[in-house]
C-alpha cells in the first residue's frame, strides 16, 4: 500500500538476488532482525498510515463537491445574469421613461398650483387692502358722525337748558304772582 517498495509477507525471507547487499548495523539483509523491522514497518503503515485512503477520499469529495457546487453556482450565476440583463434592457428604460413622463407632469402640476396659489394670495391681499381701506373710511365716517352727533347734542342740550331756564323763570314769575295773590287773600 505505502512505502513504494516490495511487499514481503510476514515470516518469509527476502529473496537474495541481484544487487549489492548493504550492511545494516543490525546485521545482514536476510537476518531475522531485519525481517522483523520490515514487517513492523508494514504493520505500522497498514494500521496507522491512512494517507493514501484519506487522499483518495479527499480527491473524491473535492471532485463531487466542485462538480455539484459548480453546476449549482453556474445556474445561480446564469439566473443572475439573465435577471440583470432583463433589468438593464427592459425594466430600467421603462422605469426611466415612466419617471420622466410622470415627473414632467408633476412639475407642470406643481407650477400650475404654485401660480394659482400666488394669484390667490394676491387676491387675498387686495381684498384685505380693500377691506382695510373700507374700515378706515368707515371709521373716519363714524368719527365724523360722532362729532356731528355730539355737537348736535350740545346744541340741543343748550336749547333744552335755555328752555328749562325760561320755564323756570316763568314758573318763578307765576309762583311769585301766585304768592302775591295769596298774600292778598291771606290778609283778610
Amino acid at each position: 500500500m505505502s512505502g513504494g517498495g516490495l511487499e514481503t509477507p510476514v515470516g518469509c525471507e527476502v529473496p537474495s538476488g541481484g544487487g549489492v547487499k548493504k550492511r545494516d548495523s543490525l546485521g545482514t539483509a536476510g537476518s531475522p532482525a531485519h525481517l522483523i523491522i520490515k514487517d513492523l514497518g508494514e504493520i505500522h503503515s497498514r494500521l496507522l498510515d491512512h494517507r493514501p485512503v484519506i487522499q483518495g477520499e479527499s480527491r473524491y469529495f473535492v471532485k463531487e463537491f466542485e462538480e455539484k457546487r459548480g453546476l449549482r453556482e453556474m445556474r445561480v450565476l446564469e439566473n443572475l445574469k439573465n435577471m440583470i440583463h432583463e433589468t438593464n434592457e427592459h425594466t430600467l428604460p421603462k422605469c426611466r421613461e415612466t419617471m420622466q413622463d410622470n415627473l414632467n407632469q408633476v412639475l407642470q402640476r406643481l407650477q400650475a398650483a404654485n401660480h394659482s396659489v400666488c394669484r390667490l394670495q394676491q387676491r387675498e391681499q387686495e381684498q384685505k387692502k380693500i377691506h382695510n381701506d373700507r374700515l378706515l373710511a368707515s371709521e373716519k365716517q363714524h368719527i365724523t358722525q360722532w362729532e356731528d352727533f355730539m355737537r348736535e347734542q350740545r346744541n340741543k342740550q343748550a336749547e333744552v337748558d335755555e328752555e328749562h331756564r325760561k320755564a323756570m323763570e316763568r314758573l318763578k314769575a307765576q309762583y311769585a304772582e301766585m304768592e302775591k295773590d295769596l298774600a292778598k287773600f291771606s290778609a283778610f
Side-chain angles (χ1 to χ4, degrees):
M1 235 183 202
S2 69
L6 297 172
E7 292 184 8
T8 317
V10 179
C12 296
E13 290 187 15
V14 178
S16 59
V20 180
K21 291 184 183 177
K22 292 187 178 181
R23 289 214 163 234
D24 290 345
S25 60
L26 297 173
T28 61
S31 71
H34 184 66
L35 291 176
I36 291 173
I37 292 174
K38 190 174 182 181
D39 286 341
L40 281 175
E42 283 190 36
I43 291 171
H44 175 269
S45 97
R46 286 184 182 180
L47 290 178
L48 301 175
D49 188 13
H50 300 294
R51 278 183 274 154
V53 175
I54 292 174
Q55 285 176 354
E57 288 295 322
S58 62
R59 281 190 204 112
Y60 175 75
F61 176 76
V62 167
K63 180 182 173 187
E64 287 293 314
F65 183 73
E66 284 179 350
E67 285 178 6
K68 289 180 182 176
R69 184 174 176 196
L71 292 177
R72 185 176 64 235
E73 287 181 358
M74 288 297 289
R75 276 185 262 125
V76 169
L77 290 174
E78 187 67 29
N79 289 340
L80 283 173
K81 178 185 159 195
N82 290 338
M83 191 184 316
I84 289 171
H85 178 71
E86 176 70 26
T87 303
N88 285 338
E89 295 297 320
H90 301 292
T91 308
L92 285 178
K94 284 180 185 177
C95 288
R96 187 179 300 127
E97 181 180 314
T98 304
M99 189 172 65
Q100 285 176 348
D101 291 343
N102 289 337
L103 284 178
N104 286 335
Q105 290 175 358
V106 167
L107 182 62
Q108 290 172 354
R109 288 179 182 174
L110 283 174
Q111 288 173 344
N114 190 25
H115 184 67
S116 298
V117 167
C118 287
R119 282 195 329 245
L120 287 173
Q121 282 181 334
Q122 284 178 339
R123 286 181 190 166
E124 187 177 323
Q125 287 175 351
E126 289 172 1
Q127 288 176 352
K128 268 187 178 179
K129 185 179 178 188
I130 291 171
H131 182 70
N132 286 340
D133 290 345
R134 285 181 184 168
L135 280 177
L136 286 174
S138 175
E139 188 177 335
K140 286 180 182 179
Q141 184 181 4
H142 286 300
I143 289 172
T144 306
Q145 287 176 352
W146 181 255
E147 288 173 353
D148 290 345
F149 174 75
M150 290 306 290
R151 263 189 250 116
E152 192 176 315
Q153 289 300 317
R154 278 188 236 120
N155 290 339
K156 285 183 181 179
Q157 181 183 5
E159 287 176 13
V160 168
D161 285 345
E162 185 61 32
E163 284 180 25
H164 179 37
R165 190 184 58 73
K166 287 180 183 177
M168 287 292 287
E169 285 179 8
R170 271 184 283 153
L171 281 175
K172 280 184 187 179
Q174 185 180 0
Y175 280 117
E177 256 184 59
M178 286 173 84
E179 265 186 39
K180 283 185 194 176
D181 285 340
L182 194 60
K184 287 186 194 176
F185 289 115
S186 67
F188 294 115

